[in-house]
Each structure stands twice: as C-alpha cells, then as structure tokens.
Amino acid sequence: MLASVKAKLAPPTFEDDEKKTYRARLINVMLNLGIIVMGLIAVGNLLDSSTPPRNFVIDFAIIGIFLFLRRLLFAGRVHLASYLILTTTFVFQTISIASEGTTLTPTTALFSLLVITAGLLFNLSGIIVAIITCSLGIASLILAGQAGLLPAIHYADPTFQWFAFTVTFALTGGLAYFSQQLTQKVLTRAENEIRERKRVETELLKLTQAVEQSLACIVITDLSGSIEYVNPRFTQVTGYSYEEALGKNPRILKTDFTEKDTHRQLWETITQGKEWHGEFVNHKKDGSLYIESATISAITDRDGVTTHYLAVKEDITERKGIEEALLTSEARFRSLFEQTHDAVFLLDLDGKYLTANQRAAGMFGVSMEELRGDVLSGATILRQYLARMLAGEEIPAYETIFQKRDGQILPVEMSIELVRDANGKPKHIQALVRDISTRKQAEDQLKTANEQLQLRVTEVETLQQELQNQASHDPLTGLYNRRFLNETLEREIVRARREKDVFSVIISDIDHFKMINDTYGHQVGDQFIVALARLQEKHTRGSDIACRYGGEEFLLVLPGTRLDFAVKRAEEIRLKCAEVSIQHEGQALRVTMSFGVACYPDHGQAADEIIIKADKAMYISKNRGRNKVTAWGQDESA
C-alpha cells in the first residue's frame, strides 16, 4: 500500500530536460503539500461549527485546483503550472485571510511559503515579485480591515490555530529541506559528470597522443570512403599533407599492382561489420611504390550503427624486401643442400678409417675396400681435438680440407663425436663429413651477387638524388625553381621571426627580353638566361638562395642582409649584367636588367608581401627607364 501511495505522489520526469524535471519535482511537492494543508484546514473548519459554508466551498475548490495543476504537470506544461500554483496560492491565502477578518489567521503564514516557492521556481526574480505581491496583499487586507470592509473577527479554536501554524512551519521547513536535498543531488550528479568528463578527456588525450605518435598510418573515413583524418605518420609515408588528404578517397594511393579482387573483398568484409586484413601495393605522392599491410574495421556508435571506417596501415616495403631476399637465399641453399649427401665415417683413436658409408667412398673417389685402414686426411687436427673430447668437451663443427686420391682438394665441414662403450671407455670417433664445395661456390656467388646488388643500390641512390635535384632545380639554368623557393622562403620567415633577424629579396628581370626572342630567336634568349643565371649564382654567398622565378625573372634571397647592403649587391650584379655578351652571327649582343629590392620585416611579415614589394620596386625601375635598382619605399611616387 505504501508503495502504491508513493507511486501516486511521485513527480513526472523529462529525460531530455534536467531543468524541467527539477522544476516539476518542486511543483509536485508543493502541490502535494498544498493538498495536505487544505485537507487540514478543511478538517479544522469541520471542527468549528460556526464556520461559514463558503469556507468549505473555498477549501474543496482549492483542492480541486491543485489536482488540476497536477494534471497539467504530468502533461508536461510545467511552466504554466508554476505560474498557476503561485497565483492560486496567493488568491487562496488572500480570500482565506479576508474571510477570517484578520491577518492573524494561520493562512497568513503561508505567505512565507509562497515567497520560498517563487524563489525555488523563478530564482531571485521570483522572490522579489513574491515579496512585493505578498506585501501589497497584506497591506490591502490591513487597510480593508481598518475601513470595516472585512467581516467581524472570528477566532477559531486556539489549539487548532497553534497546530495549523506549527504544521505550516513544518511544511515550509520540509520544502526547504527537499529543495536542499534535490539541489545536492543535482550538484553531485554534475560533479560526477564533470569528473567523468575529465576522465574521458584524459583518456582521449592519451589516445590522441598515441595515434599522433604511432609508427603506423592511421586513416579514418566516412561511410562513403572520404578521408576525415590522417595521422602524421601517414603524411610521412605517402608525402600527402593533412590538408591534401582531407576529403579525398584512399584511391589516390591505388595502383594496378594490387590484386583486382582485393578492394572488392575489402568492402564486402567491412560493410558486414567484420575486420579486414590484407596488403596493398600503393604509390606515394611522388609516384614511388610501396607495400603496406592494412587492418580496416568499422567504427560504431553506442547503438552499434557504423559511422566511420578505421584503417591501421604499416609500410612493409623494407620487410618484404628482406623476406624475399631471405626466401631466395633459403631456396638457393635448400636446393644445394638437397643435392648434397653427407659422408659418415667411423675412425679409430688414431684417425684411421674403420668403416664408412657409400657416399664417403664416392666423395673421395675410392672404393670401400681402398678406404678401410687409410688415415683420414686432416687427422692431425683430429688428434688435437681428441684430448678435448676425452675431457668431455663438445667440439663444434669446423671446416677443413680433404685431399682426394686424384689429388683434388675438397673443402668439407666436419662434425666429430667421441663414441664410448658401455663402461664409458672411448671406443672410436664418429665423423660426419659434408662436401661444402658447392656451398663455398654458392657463397662466392652470393658475395658477388651482394656486391652487384650494392652497386645497383648505389646507382638507385644516385638516380634518386638526381630526381630530387630535378624536382627542386630549374632544368635550363640549374638554379633553384619556384617550388623550392616557396618552401625555403617560408622557413626563412620562421627563422628570421624567431631570431629577430632580417633578410632581403632581390627580383630582377631582363629588359626587352621579348624583343630579343622575336629578333634573334629563343635559342639566343636561352643563352642570355643561362649566362645571367651563372652571373647571379656567382654573386651569391653560401647562405643565399638564387632561383629562376619566371621566364626571364630571377630572385635572390639574402638571409641576414639589410636593405642597404642588398641594394649594393643588386647594383654590383646590374653592372656585371651589362658586361655579359652573346655572340650571334658575328655580332656581340648585350642586355640590361632591372632590379627591385624589399626587406623583411620592414616591408612585410609574410613571404608573399616581401616578394610583391620587391616585384613592384622592379617595375618602378622599369618605368624609370630600365637598367636600374630600386628599393621598395625609396620612390613610390614613380
């Protein structure tokens, strides 16, 4: 029965709104208390035979209103119920006090409960409004009583009056206690959630660091295969930056060397929620091939629904190469071993043959009868080992040479073991002789092959160096190209900013170069470009960077060089350029160059800004008649 009553008095809960649930609990408690208070008041009125009938109507009307408000509460209209319970309570208290004719009635104490209730439901604003409203209500009742507008004062049973005040105080305290307990639960839950969130954040940080520092490539894609995350190892292996990989499909790495059914089997496996293992032959951004081992699986949410795919991949190119080399070497030696049969001898303690197998006779080119009684070639070494074997020492296999009857020298590997009789007395020597001439020959061949392989590796490394050089240098002039400049200039910006240093940029352009190409042909133009490139390169220090910036444009980066020194350097190069001549059809052709100079950090904080300022300064030189050096900021009016 107690459980049934508790269930009927229980408040509604709203899982998606914690604040709404909290307010609903408070209102439910207040409504339950209000119903109890009204019940007590109704009982008190019943005990007083002089109670007017209207009081009973009011009592039961209020109880009905409270029950209606509980229905609103369970219907989810918590905000409306909050306003109505405060309004109803205030009206009820005012009417009750007015019906008694004095503010000394027990219901007056409920004004304090009304203030507390308003504060719990609407915080400080609710308290302020409730205080003002209750104060005005009391004031109105007092004025009405003084004006004789209220009925004559009727004093109920003093004992019940005391009881009603006490119950009101108890209910007020109970409501405050309930609010404190509910608040404590909310705070405890919040603390637990914060603690759990910190734990999860710590675990997530650990996981993130592990992924970021992993030696394996980590790739996360959405359900369509578009990349959403790659770790730094992926960028190191493939050459694709994080930004370049983002949004792309892993097919950017695909080659025709991977078996055709691999990708189909992969998708069939992971779409079924299973984990796939396999290998790919992929290509990097620079086109070079590599082999990777991959494990791909689905990432699911709490409901088990697949949201992403996770790939953990490892570059196994080097390991594969070693495995193939080992397999090749093993196969080669296994073949040699299968073609080799060991010779087994029994020797007396002086090294004479007692008996041998057929392979032994064939190995030495003699018959079994001729072999018996002969002294083993290498018996001197055998006798040296005999003393050690008699002392209980095991002699490892060793290499020696035998001389066959025809005088041919045979390299062999020999394993010897001392055989004792039942009493432990040395009886004879058992020798296992293996013809290693084929192995020796194979070792020599392997050594030669390794030398050839090393030579090939050297050639490949040289080729790779040449390819790297071609990727960063202009093919016509041999100067650095624009791609290398962009990468280097960004690093120079970082270095200069960190060390609070300066650097200057000189941009130069051949004057009237189009006219030279149109008049004498592009071959002459190329000759001028090469000659002037050599001149630019000649006037650079070890730390300077000279590059071909465009068709007939050159760019010099001078680390640690102020603007005035850069202008002097540009002037020196300009004068030398005027001395350069190209012989064409019996005449010496000459050209001039215009220069623009800019300096970091005076003319900009970014690489693009410095280059633009230097380029604009160069065009000022062009506009001023060409064959001049202009530093940015010296003559912007031009």
Side-chain angles (χ1 to χ4, degrees):
M1 180 177 178
L2 181 61
S4 177
V5 173
K6 186 175 181 181
K8 289 182 179 180
L9 296 178
T13 57
F14 305 95
E15 296 182 358
D16 55 341
D17 194 335
E18 185 68 25
K19 185 177 181 181
K20 188 175 182 180
T21 301
Y22 171 77
R23 181 176 289 182
R25 290 179 179 176
L26 287 176
I27 295 174
N28 185 67
V29 170
M30 287 184 282
L31 289 173
N32 290 337
L33 293 178
I35 292 171
I36 294 173
V37 169
M38 290 307 304
L40 292 174
I41 292 174
V43 171
N45 289 335
L46 288 173
L47 295 176
D48 187 355
S49 59
S50 62
T51 301
R54 69 175 183 276
N55 285 21
F56 294 105
V57 175
I58 294 173
D59 294 341
F60 290 109
I62 295 299
I63 293 174
I65 291 173
F66 284 171
L67 292 174
F68 171 73
L69 291 177
R70 286 196 87 231
R71 289 179 61 88
L72 283 179
L73 192 65
F74 279 86
R77 307 187 67 178
V78 178
H79 205 68
L80 177 61
S82 301
Y83 283 113
L84 291 178
I85 191 173
L86 293 176
T87 303
T88 303
T89 303
F90 177 77
V91 172
F92 159 71
Q93 291 175 227
T94 304
I95 293 173
S96 297
I97 295 171
S99 66
E100 294 294 332
T102 176
T103 57
L104 300 178
T105 178
T107 54
T108 307
L110 291 177
F111 277 122
S112 61
L113 181 61
L114 183 66
V115 174
I116 294 174
T117 302
L120 293 175
L121 291 176
F122 299 104
N123 300 322
L124 181 60
S125 60
I127 293 175
I128 294 174
V129 172
I131 290 174
I132 295 173
T133 303
C134 292
S135 176
L136 293 175
I138 291 294
S140 300
L141 290 170
I142 292 174
L143 293 175
Q146 292 177 348
L149 299 178
L150 297 180
I153 298 175
H154 173 75
Y155 293 98
D157 183 2
T159 303
F160 177 75
Q161 194 173 31
W162 167 83
F163 177 74
F165 272 111
T166 303
V167 170
T168 301
F169 298 150
L171 292 178
T172 303
L175 181 60
Y177 174 77
F178 172 79
S179 175
Q180 188 271 337
Q181 291 295 311
L182 190 59
T183 303
Q184 185 63 38
K185 288 182 180 179
V186 172
L187 291 175
T188 303
R189 182 184 301 173
E191 290 175 356
N192 293 336
E193 290 178 354
I194 293 172
R195 192 179 300 110
E196 178 64 17
R197 187 182 301 114
K198 289 182 178 180
R199 186 192 67 78
V200 172
E201 289 176 353
T202 301
E203 294 299 323
L204 183 59
L205 178 61
K206 292 179 182 178
L207 180 60
T208 301
Q209 291 176 344
V211 170
E212 292 287 325
Q213 299 173 11
S214 174
L215 297 178
C217 299
I218 308 296
V219 181
I220 298 177
T221 71
D222 61 17
L223 297 182
S224 65
S226 297
I227 295 175
E228 293 189 357
Y229 171 80
V230 294
N231 69 340
R233 180 60 177 168
F234 175 88
T235 64
Q236 295 172 6
V237 171
T238 66
Y240 286 97
S241 67
Y242 180 86
E243 292 75 15
E244 291 172 329
L246 204 64
K248 299 293 191 305
N249 191 285
R251 284 193 297 270
I252 59 175
L253 308 175
K254 183 180 177 182
T255 69
D256 294 333
F257 296 100
T258 302
E259 294 184 8
K260 294 182 179 180
D261 290 340
T262 301
H263 292 88
R264 179 183 58 79
Q265 295 172 355
L266 158 64
W267 279 105
E268 288 180 354
T269 301
I270 62 177
T271 52
Q272 294 174 3
K274 299 178 182 178
E275 189 174 78
W276 181 86
H277 302 276
E279 296 179 359
F280 300 110
V281 179
N282 287 339
H283 67 79
K284 302 180 181 180
K285 183 180 178 181
D286 60 8
S288 58
L289 299 178
Y290 71 103
I291 305 173
E292 65 177 8
S293 173
T295 299
I296 304 177
S297 57
I299 300 176
T300 59
D301 58 18
R302 294 181 178 178
D303 298 326
V305 178
T306 300
T307 59
H308 295 81
Y309 294 116
L310 169 67
V312 181
K313 307 194 288 185
E314 180 184 4
D315 183 356
I316 59 171
T317 307
E318 183 177 356
R319 190 181 76 192
K320 278 288 186 180
I322 295 173
E323 288 177 355
E324 290 179 3
L326 288 174
L327 288 174
T328 302
S329 177
E330 181 183 356
R332 181 181 301 163
F333 282 108
R334 184 179 295 276
S335 176
L336 294 174
F337 177 78
E338 289 173 353
Q339 296 173 10
T340 303
H341 302 281
D342 299 333
V344 180
F345 300 95
L346 287 179
L347 310 171
D348 65 15
L349 299 182
D350 293 326
K352 292 182 179 181
Y353 295 109
L354 296 176
T355 185
N357 62 357
Q358 187 64 41
R359 175 59 185 159
M363 181 180 292
F364 294 102
V366 296
S367 65
M368 294 292 292
E369 293 298 327
E370 291 175 324
L371 191 60
R372 288 190 183 96
D374 200 355
V375 177
L376 176 69
S377 175
T380 303
I381 300 176
L382 185 65
R383 293 190 189 98
Q384 294 175 359
Y385 287 136
L386 181 59
R388 294 165 59 183
M389 288 191 294
L390 290 172
E393 181 179 348
E394 288 189 9
I395 305 300
Y398 62 92
E399 294 183 4
T400 184
I401 55 173
F402 282 178
Q403 185 174 10
K404 301 173 68 173
R405 286 293 176 89
D406 60 3
Q408 182 181 353
I409 300 300
L410 182 67
V412 297
E413 182 181 78
M414 191 168 182
S415 299
I416 55 177
E417 181 181 359
L418 186 63
V419 181
R420 300 174 183 269
D421 60 16
N423 298 320
K425 182 179 179 181
K427 186 178 179 181
H428 55 261
I429 299 171
Q430 178 178 297
L432 180 69
V433 179
R434 179 172 299 162
D435 181 358
I436 61 172
S437 57
T438 305
R439 192 183 79 187
K440 283 290 185 182
Q441 183 181 0
E443 288 176 352
D444 292 339
Q445 292 175 352
L446 181 60
K447 181 179 179 182
T448 302
N450 286 336
E451 291 174 352
Q452 293 175 350
L453 179 61
Q454 184 61 41
L455 180 61
R456 179 60 178 163
V457 169
T458 303
E459 292 175 354
V460 171
E461 290 176 349
T462 302
L463 179 59
Q464 288 179 340
Q465 184 63 36
E466 292 177 358
L467 290 175
Q468 291 177 356
N469 188 64
Q470 291 175 6
S472 60
H473 288 73
D474 175 57
L476 177 63
T477 62
L479 298 180
Y480 289 115
N481 57 23
R482 193 163 184 167
R483 174 186 173 187
F484 179 83
L485 170 71
N486 293 336
E487 296 174 354
T488 305
L489 202 54
E490 290 297 334
R491 291 196 296 269
E492 183 60 26
I493 287 282
V494 174
R495 181 201 67 78
R497 185 178 294 119
R498 182 180 63 250
E499 299 178 3
K500 297 183 179 179
D501 199 1
V502 300
F503 71 86
S504 296
V505 172
I506 301 174
I507 292 182
S508 57
D509 182 86
I510 302 174
D511 297 330
H512 302 298
F513 185 72
K514 184 177 184 303
M515 184 179 67
I516 294 173
N517 280 337
D518 294 343
T519 305
Y520 303 105
H522 289 278
Q523 185 176 1
V524 173
D526 287 348
Q527 290 178 356
F528 269 114
I529 289 175
V530 172
L532 294 174
R534 298 286 80 78
L535 178 63
Q536 300 257 356
E537 194 173 30
K538 183 178 179 181
H539 283 77
T540 57
R541 304 168 300 180
S543 60
D544 296 341
I545 302 166
C547 78
R548 184 182 179 188
Y549 191 64
E552 68 274 15
E553 281 188 304
F554 300 93
L555 189 145
L556 290 177
V557 180
L558 310 178
T561 304
R562 299 196 309 271
L563 184 65
D564 52 349
F565 288 102
V567 171
K568 291 180 180 178
R569 178 79 67 83
E571 185 64 26
E572 293 174 1
I573 298 174
R574 184 189 69 80
L575 294 174
K576 292 294 182 181
C577 288
E579 299 174 1
V580 174
S581 66
I582 299 296
Q583 297 296 323
H584 179 69
E585 296 180 354
Q587 58 178 326
L589 304 179
R590 298 179 184 275
V591 295
T592 60
M593 298 189 73
S594 298
F595 293 78
V597 186
C599 179
Y600 171 87
D602 297 339
H603 299 147
Q605 297 294 319
D608 291 344
E609 291 184 75
I610 306 300
I611 292 177
I612 289 172
K613 299 292 177 59
D615 192 58
K616 289 183 177 180
M618 180 194 71
Y619 277 100
I620 292 175
S621 297
K622 294 277 189 182
N623 295 333
R624 292 169 58 195
R626 295 181 172 80
N627 193 23
K628 297 183 183 299
V629 176
T630 302
W632 177 257
Q634 289 184 343
D635 192 6
E636 291 93 344
S637 62

